[in-house]
Amino acid sequence: MVAVRSHLGGSSRPDVVAALGRPDPTLTGRLLAASPGLGPVVATPALQVWGGPGLATWTAGDTRGWTWAASAPEVRPTSWQSAANEACAPGVTVCTDGGVVHADGLALQDLYARRVGDAVYLSTRLHPLMVLDDGPLTPDVSAWGAILTVGAPVGAATPVREVRRLTAGEAWTVTAHGTLARRTAPPLWDDVPSTPTKPAEMTEVIAAAIPAGDDPLVVTLSGGWDSRVLTSLALRRGHPVEAWTTYQYHPREKDLVWAVRVADSLGVPQRMVLPHGRDWAAHQAAVRRRLDFQTWMHTWIFALTEELRGQPLPVVDGGYGDLLLRADMAGKAAAGELPWPSSLFFGMGGKRLDFVSTQAAPLLLDATMAAYAELAATVADRPNRETLLQLLTRQNRAVTSAARQLVGPETEVWMPFTHPAVVRAALSVPLADKQQHAYYREVLDTACGPEGLLRSSNDRGAHRQKMQGAFLQPAMITSLMDTVRRSERARSLLGPLVAGAMEGDDGPTILRRRLRPVDTLAWAALLADFEQEYADRLDWSAWPL
């Protein structure tokens, strides 16, 4: 392969840190020490910013800004609000009156804040703020409950109370004299077309999110619909495409068969990345740290992401596609007997609470549901509210973030379905139109032609067929058990089934076909690793479990 500069520039996620207000030089030094390789971007008494390669600049009059990881890199912002909502990018803005550090309008990108004294310190990674000073950090029960159930903390929560994540359109502003304030721009979903987008129009909107060009791309091709749509449209836009495929648990799972057929039909070269036989324990520990201990989901893609980081081509991923264009989980939540937030909560993973201890389950449920309900209230009056809530919880903070953080910033990652035009167009389509995959099948027809008719993991009954021949690798389960055994706190949270499986030598055999119990074990392993990583900083005195 030859390194090529892509037309899709701007979508990489560089590391960025900032200090606003009246920062303590000692704390600023610690922030930088925990963020090696960053160079100065802004240096004023009230605003200091450092970043890695990949920041895009813009100017409007006396205002200058920097953005990163824009979902719409072609947009030239005119203010920090337009950077957040039109480019869907986090960034920094400086003018004569002061400056702003802001999140994107979808809360897609991670941007964390910690206030200490007269300053706010921000970072695109959690770790630099965790080691900012020697003060105690308090584990957040609601965050850990959400990590187990929906896959990651919700809202502004992080694993500790002292560090918060900026929400959609949220910003910290500072005057030239160092006065701090928190502001919010209207979220991206405030501006949704009133007329539903037709499937053929949706295809064109998605295609336009892949700029035309002849640069080669890598598409992470699974057996589902999102990746075949992006592969077909990337080819239509002129890009040579390489398909890279992996599997979750078993090398004979149907997803591989379906992906091979799609690649053959489209005529694109395909590379299989096989995780079988790798050192699960060592790799999973590295993945947990790279994801800032905020999700156990999608860590099985480590083998694929490790190799993708070693190649020079931009990586195109199908994040958001299923969620926006189908209505499986959202549709069930809308039609469920429980109120819609609760129905969606249990559909996403609330039933995993069945596999924690009887003492921990109600405490985790109450703490998590309080934070979850607060976030649900912010979208309760929106069309496609079920889709939005799923997007803002598991999709943004577990599924999509895993792909970006495990591949980037070393390699450019592009997610066309997260383009603001695509998101708005998809949210204009009533949830009822997406039932039974009807809407997405029409998109497939216009985007893929005959390839859209090939069997896929999205077809009804396909998941059940696939899982009949799938099993969890014993080495994976063993590594999770070994990690949990290092923490009495994590081990005490397990319910009888999982705790009992850990007692005997046949534990991996007992659990190898039980996804929810193993998910719970993975969550406990995440907590155990987190406890060990920050052992000298964590204050567990208020931890009720």
Side-chain angles (χ1 to χ4, degrees):
M1 294 181 186
V2 178
V4 190
R5 181 171 180 80
S6 172
H7 295 309
L8 305 182
S11 58
S12 298
R13 184 200 59 80
D15 290 329
V16 178
V17 298
L20 290 76
R22 300 178 179 87
D24 182 324
T26 300
L27 298 190
T28 301
R30 294 184 72 161
L31 184 71
L32 286 173
S35 312
L38 305 187
V41 177
V42 178
T44 71
L47 175 60
Q48 301 167 49
V49 181
W50 298 264
L55 274 68
T57 62
W58 60 270
T59 57
D62 294 333
T63 302
R64 187 178 184 191
W66 294 260
T67 61
W68 59 89
S71 292
E74 75 278 5
V75 170
R76 299 295 297 174
T78 57
S79 66
W80 72 265
Q81 293 94 335
S82 74
N85 278 335
E86 295 169 26
C88 194
V92 179
T93 303
V94 177
C95 59
T96 55
D97 297 332
V100 182
V101 181
H102 63 87
D104 66 87
L106 272 175
L108 173 64
Q109 301 290 340
D110 293 325
L111 185 57
Y112 304 101
R114 184 177 180 187
R115 184 159 189 171
V116 181
D118 295 326
V120 171
Y121 303 87
L122 295 106
S123 174
T124 52
R125 301 301 298 263
L126 185 66
H127 176 73
L129 300 180
M130 296 283 291
V131 298
L132 187 65
D133 63 11
D134 295 322
L137 297 171
T138 313
D140 187 329
V141 176
S142 71
W144 284 99
I147 290 171
L148 170 63
T149 52
V150 301
V154 301
T158 78
V160 296
R161 296 178 188 170
E162 290 75 12
V163 183
R164 311 312 283 167
R165 185 180 187 268
L166 271 63
T167 55
E170 185 177 356
W172 276 98
T173 67
V174 63
T175 67
H177 302 291
T179 302
L180 292 164
R182 195 172 64 85
R183 297 178 60 188
T184 55
L188 186 147
W189 57 85
D190 265 4
D191 181 22
V192 172
S194 57
T195 302
T197 305
K198 297 178 180 178
E201 296 170 336
M202 178 64 72
T203 297
E204 295 309 312
V205 174
I206 299 168
I210 306 172
D214 57 3
D215 295 337
L217 306 173
V218 167
V219 176
T220 51
L221 182 68
S222 69
W225 290 341
D226 302 334
S227 57
R228 76 176 64 180
V229 165
L230 295 182
T231 302
S232 298
L233 294 180
L235 291 168
R236 184 187 302 183
R237 300 287 278 172
H239 296 281
V241 172
E242 291 183 15
W244 287 40
T245 300
T246 190
Y247 60 84
Q248 291 193 41
Y249 306 123
H250 193 290
R252 291 191 298 276
E253 70 173 10
K254 295 292 184 179
D255 220 30
L256 289 181
V257 176
W258 296 323
V260 169
R261 290 172 181 167
V262 171
D264 286 345
S265 183
L266 289 172
V268 298
Q270 186 178 34
R271 176 171 178 176
M272 293 289 181
V273 180
L274 308 180
H276 190 66
R278 305 205 182 204
D279 184 348
W280 278 95
H283 288 286
Q284 290 295 300
V287 165
R288 293 181 195 118
R289 284 160 179 77
R290 194 170 179 103
L291 296 176
D292 283 323
F293 299 97
Q294 295 193 81
T295 187
W296 50 268
M297 294 184 67
H298 283 240
T299 58
W300 57 268
I301 63 173
F302 72 84
L304 176 66
T305 57
E306 282 181 347
E307 295 197 23
L308 286 173
R309 290 200 304 270
Q311 59 82 42
L313 302 181
V315 176
V316 181
D317 186 83
Y320 268 37
D322 262 9
L323 177 61
L324 290 175
L325 300 179
R326 294 199 301 149
D328 284 359
M329 197 176 296
K332 290 176 183 177
E337 296 181 1
L338 293 174
W340 73 271
S342 298
S343 182
L344 188 60
F345 172 79
F346 286 104
M348 280 195 285
K351 294 178 182 178
R352 296 188 189 102
L353 289 168
D354 294 343
F355 300 98
V356 301
S357 70
T358 55
Q359 295 80 15
L363 294 173
L364 288 170
L365 177 62
D366 289 347
T368 303
M369 283 302 294
Y372 182 81
E374 182 179 352
L375 180 62
T378 66
V379 298
D381 61 346
R382 307 291 182 178
N384 271 289
R385 61 184 184 180
E386 294 84 4
T387 298
L388 271 174
L389 185 56
Q390 190 180 346
L391 181 154
L392 293 172
T393 53
R394 185 172 76 174
Q395 195 70 26
N396 272 4
R397 301 199 62 180
V399 179
T400 306
S401 64
R404 281 189 182 271
Q405 293 187 39
L406 294 179
V407 177
E410 294 90 342
T411 295
E412 186 177 352
V413 180
W414 185 250
M415 295 185 172
F417 287 112
T418 68
H419 192 287
V422 177
V423 174
R424 291 187 175 109
L427 291 177
S428 75
V429 180
L431 195 61
D433 292 356
K434 302 174 187 177
Q435 300 284 10
Q436 304 298 319
H437 305 174
Y439 185 84
Y440 206 166
R441 285 194 178 279
E442 292 192 52
V443 173
L444 277 173
D445 183 53
T446 58
C448 303
E451 285 73 32
L453 299 174
L454 294 175
R455 182 75 172 159
S456 83
S457 53
N458 295 127
D459 293 321
R460 296 185 67 181
H463 181 71
R464 186 178 299 109
Q465 178 186 3
K466 174 176 144 182
M467 290 308 301
Q468 285 176 351
F471 60 83
L472 297 158
Q473 294 204 22
M476 174 188 174
I477 301 175
T478 299
S479 72
L480 294 175
M481 289 179 170
D482 290 343
T483 301
V484 174
R485 290 188 180 105
R486 296 200 297 263
S487 167
E488 185 56 39
R489 179 174 286 105
R491 190 167 183 170
S492 70
L493 296 175
L494 298 175
L497 175 67
V498 186
M502 289 186 59
E503 296 299 325
D505 295 336
D506 58 347
T509 301
I510 294 173
L511 296 180
R512 67 192 312 199
R513 293 181 183 273
R514 302 291 300 271
L515 292 182
R516 284 182 190 151
V518 174
D519 291 346
T520 306
L521 187 64
W523 166 76
L526 187 75
L527 178 63
D529 252 3
F530 174 78
E531 180 183 19
Q532 183 175 26
E533 180 78 6
Y534 297 107
D536 58 339
R537 302 177 185 278
L538 298 175
D539 178 6
W540 295 94
S541 60
W543 182 257
L545 306 179

